[in-house]
Amino acid sequence: MYGLGDMVFYSSTGVCEIVSVGAVEGMPAGKEFYTLCPVSTSHREMIYVPVDIQKGLRRAISGEEANNFIEMIKTIEPVAPTSRNPKAISDFYSRLISTYDCKNLLTVIVSLTLKKRECEEKKKRLNQTQASFLFKACEMIYNEFALALNISKQEVEALIARQMDNF
């Protein structure tokens, strides 16, 4: 499905380059793996993903797709958990993030950024769980979009913030 040199998105690690495909020393014999090298400097370990089990692995988006997603931000409806229970809140955002789908990640960013603004207006802070999920979603999106658009993470953050000015 993927080949040498392809750029892929792998679960919470983010964008990686496939640096080899095949058997890996020290892994089960007769099994092929994608060897992934994370692009982000915060993840420098090699990752081995079985070729036949690709959960959490998808092709990295293109620049055109990134631009389309950025334009889409204006149309995203914020979502929120129906319960105030910390476990339910965590499960709610975890389900969205664990899809590793750009639209779901942007939905988390839009929803929690708006929630953060509400809190700040009341001189309060976003709770730790929500702040953590906002951070995770931003890291995943900013890194992937920066690579796709060949710009910095800060420029991606600014693009997304401009799209959210109308909320």
Side-chain angles (χ1 to χ4, degrees):
M1 184 169 171
Y2 304 109
L4 194 62
D6 284 351
M7 300 303 277
V8 294
F9 184 93
Y10 182 64
S11 64
S12 60
T13 303
V15 180
C16 300
E17 180 180 2
I18 295 177
V19 294
S20 73
V21 180
V24 175
E25 189 176 321
M27 297 294 218
K31 195 161 177 101
E32 290 198 330
F33 293 83
Y34 293 118
T35 302
L36 308 179
C37 179
V39 173
S40 170
T41 55
S42 63
H43 296 282
R44 292 312 310 163
E45 71 284 353
M46 292 294 195
I47 300 165
Y48 304 101
V49 179
V51 170
D52 59 344
I53 302 172
Q54 297 176 25
K55 186 176 184 246
L57 186 67
R58 66 168 168 78
R59 191 168 304 282
I61 64 169
S62 68
E64 182 179 343
E65 290 170 312
N67 282 321
N68 290 340
F69 280 119
I70 289 169
E71 281 298 312
M72 177 194 298
I73 290 170
K74 297 180 267 192
T75 67
I76 292 175
E77 290 290 327
V79 297
T82 55
S83 172
R84 295 177 60 126
N85 176 293
K87 173 84 169 103
I89 292 169
S90 181
D91 289 347
F92 179 83
Y93 290 112
S94 184
R95 275 192 303 279
L96 286 170
I97 285 183
S98 67
T99 65
Y100 309 111
D101 174 78
C102 290
K103 185 172 190 286
N104 286 344
L105 293 170
L106 287 169
T107 298
V108 171
I109 292 169
V110 167
S111 302
L112 291 177
T113 298
L114 294 176
K115 177 74 173 167
K116 183 178 178 183
R117 287 179 190 170
E118 280 178 33
C119 290
E120 288 170 350
E121 286 174 7
K122 297 174 185 174
K123 306 284 189 224
K124 294 184 177 185
R125 296 173 59 170
L126 203 56
N127 75 43
Q128 184 60 39
T129 300
Q130 292 168 326
S132 175
F133 281 111
L134 177 58
F135 177 79
K136 287 177 191 176
C138 287
E139 279 297 298
M140 288 185 223
I141 284 292
Y142 294 172
N143 284 326
E144 185 168 14
F145 283 27
L147 180 71
L149 298 169
N150 198 28
I151 60 176
S152 71
K153 285 173 47 175
Q154 292 78 16
E155 289 170 298
V156 171
E157 184 177 8
L159 283 171
I160 290 173
R162 276 197 298 277
Q163 291 297 319
M164 292 188 59
D165 283 344
N166 299 325
F167 279 100

